[in-house]
Amino acid sequence: MPRIAAADREDLVETRKSQIVDATLRLLASQSFDRTSVDAIAKEAGVSKGSVYLYFESKDAIIDELVRRYSLIRDVEKMVDSVNDISPEDALGTVVPVLWQQLVARRELIKLLLREGPARPDVSKVLFEKIVIPGNTMVADWLARHIGPERAKEIDTFVAGRLIFGMLMAFIITQELLGGKDARPIEDEKITSTITEVFLYGIMGRNGKKKKKAC
Amino acid sequence: MPRIAAADREDLVETRKSQIVDATLRLLASQSFDRTSVDAIAKEAGVSKGSVYLYFESKDAIIDELVRRYSLIRDVEKMVDSVNDISPEDALGTVVPVLWQQLVARRELIKLLLREGPARPDVSKVLFEKIVIPGNTMVADWLARHIGPERAKEIDTFVAGRLIFGMLMAFIITQELLGGKDARPIEDEKITSTITEVFLYGIMGRNGKKKKKAC
Amino acid sequence: MPRIAAADREDLVETRKSQIVDATLRLLASQSFDRTSVDAIAKEAGVSKGSVYLYFESKDAIIDELVRRYSLIRDVEKMVDSVNDISPEDALGTVVPVLWQQLVARRELIKLLLREGPARPDVSKVLFEKIVIPGNTMVADWLARHIGPERAKEIDTFVAGRLIFGMLMAFIITQELLGGKDARPIEDEKITSTITEVFLYGIMGRNGKKKKKAC
Amino acid sequence: MPRIAAADREDLVETRKSQIVDATLRLLASQSFDRTSVDAIAKEAGVSKGSVYLYFESKDAIIDELVRRYSLIRDVEKMVDSVNDISPEDALGTVVPVLWQQLVARRELIKLLLREGPARPDVSKVLFEKIVIPGNTMVADWLARHIGPERAKEIDTFVAGRLIFGMLMAFIITQELLGGKDARPIEDEKITSTITEVFLYGIMGRNGKKKKKAC
DNA sequence: GATGAATGAGCGTTCATTCAT
DNA sequence: CATGAATGAACGCTCATTCAT
């Protein structure tokens, strides 16, 4: 006979898990997971070390949960949905800056994923299958619907779809994670407009923006 | 009165440091630096554990030296030199595949830099100032010389220069480091040709490949 | 004014204590007491962990109670009573096999007593004074009544009485507790008949089984 | 190039292992192995906790080594050798008291083996195969050579051989390990002479000592 | 009376670092 | 210069015990 109703119990579990995962994310901003002790996580979360093991099977389970919780996939999905019927010419101008802002806001998570992902097969798998592939596929489908059959013969939309993220990541890594923002700042507008320009002409090929300009 | 001539002494120090740094790099292919013990490094390097501390102040000093030694900068420099006077249209077809091959070959070093870099201010600084900036600048200068004044008004060549690496990195990270190569393989040729196409049209804008096509 | 009648209350305490002690004994069949957690005991007993501490001061108090409750003494008493007036020649043939079966059935308790007893002065005391001495005395008295004055001068019946248990224990320990049953099996019948034979001739001396053989 | 000669190295390993094993044996006199911490062992041995792991793979490896080192088997072997051609009538009078003394001297080891053995399959196996079986077999062979064909049909010498140890163990356990020595002392001489008498008549059957007495 | 979430001391184990040789 | 035995702090994890509900 549990003293606490099932719903309250679930709430408690959820609260505690969040406390611990969030504390971990905070600590991971300044040091690797390996160098972050369970003691430190517990202290940061405001619970005892023993409690951490009440809610997670092991230290590693914390990072698994963390990755599960903080993925960009839902944002990407929403964004692609919202521009579904809008051509890249019209959509990229808003999509790229928004995407940039979201990636910047999650820079710490990205730092974490870049650090921990490649070294952990389980994390890698989740990252690749649950984030990269679905996100990439959505963008590829959208591109395929808009670039026209001629251009579609020349470029692979699945590959092209991944490029937009690569371009954005290049600046997240160099400006936000490697300290470029301080050492050699670049205005956000310049980053996003250049990416928009390059990607737009890049995917449209020789027909790029032709509609808007008679040749 | 030193028993050994200064030059010889320096040679020894250099030899030992290289032994240790190279051994470390080899071991980092399969596990994170944190999980690589000094014991293992010493064994792999063929020296005693004590000797490691004769040539490095601490375990961390090894990774600092490693990052200092291994950069892509010299390769980028050579490559830019070799295509200095060749237009992007003619150069990218060879440059992109070569760059791709070199990045793939160094995937372990990239994994290491992504893991250790963002968490270490000193490493970040070196990476950014000695690799990102010089490489980016060389490519930007080259681009500036070829895209023409009209296009130059529309895109920032410094930003555009970094994009080519971002595009390549997107696939190094997803295909090589996150296991995409096994889960969802893509032919190297498809990756490099798509990047070439997108980047070329992207930077050239509406004049892309105009020489080849009368308008 | 107690809400529950004193008798009922005692019943409850007794029931709960039994639940917990019995559960512990069951668990001790497969692992040492040290490696049996209070969690596991509570679960096996069907009560909460907190309840264990309602009825026992500490984990160790459970084992003390267990040892106090389970002894062979009542069985030995009954057995000696039943053969009180029967001579060893006639009695041993049935007593030894029955005793053997009872010891085999309690092998786990014996394992427990051997493990926990010698290291705990309180348990030792209980074991020795409440089990060894009374059981030994009963057997010694029975022997004294039957071996005749001549033989009584040669052997100490108190010592001899303890030997029958030693003989049986030798096989409980080696065959049942050390895995000899699997590695080098011996039929139960061979064990009990040999013990009967040796002990019988042993205690009777040169007059052993004289009834059956005119001299 | 090791600084220490191989022989010296071996000596050191042997010394350290002995230090640790002996310290462990000392501590096991008063508490179970589970409750004996590596910290305590290291302290008792006069080495650091880290050093324990320099010489033993794990805590469990210490007890394995301990059991390997302290077995009675060599003593039993020697004893059986020395009485090889002597009949039980003449031999038991000296063998039993000597065996008793040796078992008493090793009471702490026996306590340890009774406690740790049954709970550890690996220890059990070693105990049974390396101590019980060889010792038992030697004694059985010796008995078989002396009891004559007639008696050999009635008792199993392998079973009988184990009985002599059972009889001795009964008193080791009750007098030495359970505190009977203090609560209800019995003279050593009484123990050994009774065992000798009972075992001798027991194994010889109706022909026991007949040589000495015409019937 | 009954519960089980919470605690934190203590465990076995690892390993960066030191230093006598 | 080179070694590796020795160290002990720190780790991830367990679990006996407490106590608010």
Side-chain angles (χ1 to χ4, degrees):
Chain A
M1 254 179 293
R3 299 276 118 178
I4 300 174
D8 288 355
R9 178 77 238 280
E10 262 171 42
D11 278 0
L12 177 63
V13 169
E14 181 51 32
T15 304
R16 289 278 180 275
K17 281 198 162 190
S18 293
Q19 265 181 287
I20 293 162
V21 165
D22 292 349
T24 305
L25 186 56
R26 253 172 281 136
L27 292 174
L28 284 172
S30 60
Q31 70 200 294
S32 80
F33 189 60
D34 268 345
R35 295 192 184 195
T36 304
S37 72
V38 176
D39 250 323
I41 291 172
K43 198 169 227 174
E44 175 77 22
V47 301
S48 73
K49 189 159 48 157
S51 283
V52 171
Y53 287 89
L54 229 43
Y55 297 98
F56 291 95
E57 250 196 2
S58 68
K59 189 190 167 190
D60 273 18
I62 302 173
I63 204 139
D64 291 345
E65 180 67 19
L66 197 158
V67 171
R68 213 169 297 127
R69 289 185 178 216
Y70 293 88
S71 100
L72 289 162
I73 193 63
R74 274 188 291 261
D75 299 284
V76 172
E77 198 171 349
K78 245 183 285 175
M79 197 168 301
V80 172
D81 268 357
S82 73
V83 298
N84 211 359
D85 301 320
I86 305 172
S87 73
E89 281 102 332
D90 299 328
L92 282 179
T94 40
V95 166
V96 169
V98 171
L99 219 41
W100 172 250
Q101 285 312 324
Q102 287 191 338
L103 289 168
V104 168
R106 307 205 193 202
R107 81 174 77 92
E108 290 304 335
L109 177 68
I110 292 167
K111 189 202 287 186
L112 165 68
L113 295 177
L114 287 176
R115 188 203 298 131
E116 309 293 340
R120 296 161 172 272
D122 53 333
V123 172
S124 289
K125 217 169 168 269
V126 171
L127 279 177
F128 190 75
E129 294 180 358
K130 305 289 186 214
I131 304 180
V132 175
I133 291 299
N136 194 160
T137 304
M138 282 186 272
V139 173
D141 290 347
W142 174 65
L143 285 178
R145 280 196 303 277
H146 290 98
I147 62 170
E150 207 179 323
R151 184 61 178 157
K153 280 178 202 147
E154 293 166 348
I155 63 168
D156 185 300
T157 52
F158 189 71
V159 172
R162 207 175 296 180
L163 292 182
I164 186 78
F165 291 101
M167 290 174 168
L168 287 161
M169 286 295 288
F171 287 89
I172 292 291
I173 294 173
T174 55
Q175 295 305 103
E176 301 288 328
L177 304 186
L178 292 184
K181 200 164 61 175
D182 303 319
R184 179 79 155 77
I186 305 175
E187 290 158 30
D188 280 8
E189 199 282 330
K190 194 157 266 176
I191 292 172
T192 56
S193 71
T194 305
I195 290 177
T196 305
E197 272 284 316
V198 171
F199 188 65
L200 188 57
Y201 279 103
I203 53 166
M204 300 314 281
R206 83 180 64 89
N207 303 315
K209 284 185 172 175
K210 73 177 169 186
K211 284 182 292 186
K212 291 183 182 173
K213 187 179 168 123
C215 184
Chain B
M1 249 185 297
R3 299 194 163 236
I4 299 170
D8 288 356
R9 178 132 213 303
E10 264 172 42
D11 277 0
L12 177 62
V13 168
E14 182 51 31
T15 304
R16 288 278 182 272
K17 282 197 160 191
S18 292
Q19 268 180 286
I20 293 162
V21 165
D22 291 350
T24 303
L25 185 57
R26 254 173 279 138
L27 292 174
L28 283 172
S30 57
Q31 68 202 289
S32 80
F33 186 61
D34 274 341
R35 296 187 184 193
T36 304
S37 70
V38 175
D39 249 324
I41 292 172
K43 198 170 214 174
E44 175 76 24
V47 301
S48 74
K49 197 164 28 160
S51 282
V52 171
Y53 285 86
L54 230 43
Y55 296 100
F56 291 94
E57 237 192 15
S58 71
K59 190 190 165 189
D60 274 17
I62 302 173
I63 201 102
D64 292 343
E65 179 67 21
L66 195 159
V67 171
R68 216 167 293 127
R69 288 185 179 215
Y70 289 89
S71 87
L72 291 163
I73 192 63
R74 273 187 292 259
D75 300 284
V76 172
E77 197 171 353
K78 245 185 285 175
M79 199 167 299
V80 172
D81 268 356
S82 74
V83 297
N84 212 358
D85 301 320
I86 305 172
S87 74
E89 282 101 331
D90 299 328
L92 281 178
T94 40
V95 166
V96 169
V98 170
L99 219 44
W100 172 250
Q101 285 311 325
Q102 287 189 340
L103 289 169
V104 168
R106 306 206 192 202
R107 81 174 77 92
E108 293 302 337
L109 178 66
I110 293 167
K111 188 202 287 187
L112 166 69
L113 294 177
L114 287 176
R115 189 200 301 133
E116 310 292 340
R120 296 159 174 270
D122 53 334
V123 171
S124 290
K125 216 167 170 266
V126 171
L127 277 176
F128 189 76
E129 293 180 359
K130 306 287 189 218
I131 304 179
V132 175
I133 292 300
N136 194 159
T137 304
M138 282 185 275
V139 174
D141 290 348
W142 173 65
L143 285 178
R145 280 197 302 278
H146 290 98
I147 61 170
E150 207 180 323
R151 183 65 176 155
K153 279 176 203 152
E154 292 167 347
I155 63 169
D156 185 298
T157 52
F158 188 71
V159 172
R162 209 176 293 179
L163 292 181
I164 187 76
F165 290 101
M167 291 175 168
L168 288 161
M169 286 295 287
F171 287 89
I172 292 291
I173 293 173
T174 55
Q175 295 304 102
E176 303 288 328
L177 303 186
L178 291 184
K181 200 164 61 175
D182 303 318
R184 180 77 158 75
I186 305 174
E187 289 156 32
D188 279 9
E189 199 279 330
K190 194 155 266 175
I191 293 172
T192 55
S193 72
T194 306
I195 291 177
T196 305
E197 273 283 318
V198 171
F199 189 64
L200 189 56
Y201 279 104
I203 54 166
M204 301 314 281
R206 82 180 63 89
N207 303 315
K209 286 185 173 177
K210 69 178 169 183
K211 285 183 294 185
K212 290 183 180 172
K213 186 182 170 124
C215 185
Chain C
M1 248 185 296
R3 299 193 164 237
I4 300 169
D8 288 354
R9 176 137 213 304
E10 262 171 44
D11 277 359
L12 177 61
V13 169
E14 181 51 34
T15 304
R16 289 278 183 273
K17 281 198 162 189
S18 293
Q19 267 180 286
I20 293 163
V21 165
D22 292 349
T24 304
L25 185 56
R26 253 172 281 138
L27 292 174
L28 284 172
S30 58
Q31 69 202 291
S32 80
F33 186 62
D34 273 343
R35 295 186 186 195
T36 304
S37 68
V38 175
D39 248 324
I41 291 172
K43 197 170 215 173
E44 176 77 22
V47 301
S48 75
K49 198 163 27 157
S51 283
V52 172
Y53 285 87
L54 229 43
Y55 297 99
F56 292 95
E57 236 190 18
S58 69
K59 188 188 165 190
D60 275 17
I62 302 173
I63 201 105
D64 292 343
E65 180 66 20
L66 196 159
V67 171
R68 215 167 295 126
R69 289 186 178 214
Y70 290 88
S71 86
L72 290 163
I73 193 62
R74 273 186 292 259
D75 298 283
V76 172
E77 197 170 350
K78 246 184 285 176
M79 199 168 299
V80 171
D81 267 356
S82 75
V83 297
N84 213 358
D85 301 321
I86 305 171
S87 74
E89 282 102 331
D90 299 329
L92 281 179
T94 40
V95 165
V96 169
V98 169
L99 218 42
W100 172 250
Q101 285 311 325
Q102 287 190 337
L103 289 170
V104 167
R106 308 207 191 201
R107 80 173 79 91
E108 293 302 335
L109 178 65
I110 293 168
K111 190 202 285 187
L112 166 68
L113 295 177
L114 287 176
R115 190 200 300 133
E116 310 293 340
R120 295 159 173 269
D122 53 334
V123 172
S124 289
K125 215 167 170 265
V126 171
L127 276 176
F128 189 76
E129 294 182 357
K130 305 287 189 218
I131 304 179
V132 175
I133 291 300
N136 195 161
T137 304
M138 282 185 274
V139 174
D141 290 348
W142 174 64
L143 284 178
R145 281 198 301 277
H146 289 98
I147 62 170
E150 205 180 324
R151 184 62 176 155
K153 280 178 203 150
E154 292 168 345
I155 63 168
D156 184 300
T157 53
F158 189 71
V159 172
R162 208 175 295 179
L163 292 182
I164 187 77
F165 289 101
M167 290 176 167
L168 288 161
M169 286 296 287
F171 286 89
I172 292 290
I173 293 173
T174 56
Q175 295 305 104
E176 303 288 329
L177 303 187
L178 292 184
K181 199 165 60 174
D182 302 319
R184 181 78 158 78
I186 306 174
E187 289 157 31
D188 280 8
E189 199 281 329
K190 194 156 266 175
I191 293 172
T192 55
S193 73
T194 305
I195 291 176
T196 305
E197 272 283 318
V198 171
F199 189 65
L200 189 57
Y201 279 104
I203 54 167
M204 302 313 283
R206 82 179 65 88
N207 301 317
K209 284 186 171 175
K210 69 179 170 186
K211 284 185 294 187
K212 290 185 181 170
K213 185 182 167 118
C215 188
Chain D
M1 253 178 294
R3 301 272 117 179
I4 300 172
D8 288 355
R9 178 77 236 280
E10 265 171 41
D11 278 0
L12 177 63
V13 168
E14 181 51 32
T15 305
R16 288 280 179 274
K17 281 197 159 189
S18 294
Q19 266 180 286
I20 294 163
V21 165
D22 292 349
T24 305
L25 186 56
R26 252 172 281 137
L27 292 174
L28 283 172
S30 58
Q31 70 201 293
S32 80
F33 189 59
D34 267 347
R35 294 190 185 197
T36 305
S37 71
V38 176
D39 249 322
I41 292 172
K43 198 169 225 174
E44 176 76 23
V47 300
S48 74
K49 187 156 51 152
S51 282
V52 171
Y53 287 88
L54 230 43
Y55 297 99
F56 291 94
E57 250 196 2
S58 68
K59 190 189 166 189
D60 273 16
I62 301 174
I63 203 137
D64 292 344
E65 180 68 19
L66 198 158
V67 171
R68 212 169 297 126
R69 288 185 179 214
Y70 292 89
S71 104
L72 288 162
I73 193 63
R74 273 188 293 260
D75 298 283
V76 172
E77 197 171 352
K78 246 183 284 176
M79 197 168 301
V80 172
D81 268 356
S82 74
V83 297
N84 212 1
D85 301 320
I86 305 171
S87 73
E89 282 101 331
D90 299 328
L92 281 179
T94 41
V95 165
V96 169
V98 170
L99 219 41
W100 172 249
Q101 284 312 322
Q102 287 191 337
L103 290 169
V104 168
R106 309 208 193 201
R107 81 175 77 92
E108 290 303 335
L109 178 66
I110 292 167
K111 188 202 290 186
L112 165 67
L113 294 178
L114 287 176
R115 189 202 298 131
E116 310 293 340
R120 296 161 172 272
D122 53 334
V123 171
S124 289
K125 217 170 169 265
V126 171
L127 278 176
F128 189 76
E129 293 180 359
K130 305 288 187 214
I131 303 181
V132 174
I133 291 299
N136 194 160
T137 304
M138 283 186 272
V139 173
D141 290 348
W142 172 66
L143 284 179
R145 280 197 302 277
H146 289 98
I147 62 172
E150 204 178 325
R151 183 65 175 152
K153 279 176 203 149
E154 294 166 345
I155 63 168
D156 185 299
T157 52
F158 188 70
V159 172
R162 209 175 293 180
L163 292 181
I164 187 78
F165 290 101
M167 291 175 167
L168 288 161
M169 286 295 288
F171 287 90
I172 292 290
I173 293 173
T174 55
Q175 295 305 103
E176 302 287 329
L177 303 186
L178 292 182
K181 199 163 59 174
D182 303 319
R184 180 75 156 78
I186 306 174
E187 290 158 31
D188 280 8
E189 200 280 331
K190 194 155 267 175
I191 292 171
T192 56
S193 72
T194 306
I195 291 176
T196 305
E197 272 283 318
V198 171
F199 189 66
L200 190 56
Y201 279 104
I203 55 167
M204 300 314 280
R206 83 179 65 89
N207 302 315
K209 285 186 171 176
K210 73 176 171 188
K211 285 183 292 186
K212 290 184 179 171
K213 185 178 169 120
C215 185

